Amino acid sequence: MRGDSSPELVLEAVTAMIGTVVGEDYLLGLEVGMDTSFDQDLEIESIEFVALSEKLMEHYGEQVDFVAWLGGMELEEIMGLTVGRLVDYIVSCTGA
């Protein structure tokens, strides 16, 4: 894990990971913030969630178990998932 567990730095790291997963060109003209929705705004598909999970594991290690966290959600929660909710989860896991 890296020492970047403040919400602002986590948001920056997650935004960079999303750019890697969906392609930087896709994010041009789209401002990713805490209210950005994975489904509506980013249109992330399941295979991209898998790739994002791998990026999170590489960056934060095992203490951020994205797959288990998603697995505990209902479909409606996953469909409404925002970047901010993921950031809050990561911050809680990293002890910030």
Side-chain angles (χ1 to χ4, degrees), residues 19-65:
T20 301
V21 168
V22 301
E24 294 294 334
D25 291 345
Y26 184 82
L27 293 184
L28 290 177
L30 179 65
E31 186 175 330
V32 177
M34 297 293 273
D35 293 330
T36 302
S37 155
F38 283 99
D39 183 50
Q40 294 291 316
D41 299 322
L42 298 173
E43 300 175 342
I44 288 197
E45 298 180 12
S46 58
I47 191 72
E48 292 165 327
F49 266 125
V50 172
L52 180 59
S53 173
E54 291 171 0
K55 297 289 182 197
L56 289 165
M57 179 69 87
E58 288 170 14
H59 191 84
Y60 293 105
E62 294 180 7
Q63 69 189 110
V64 175
D65 192 343

Side-chain angles (χ1 to χ4, degrees), residues 65-75 77-78 85:
D65 192 343
F66 183 66
V67 174
W69 182 62
L70 277 182
M73 292 183 190
E74 298 293 325
L75 181 58
E77 288 180 284
I78 295 170
R85 185 155 178 218

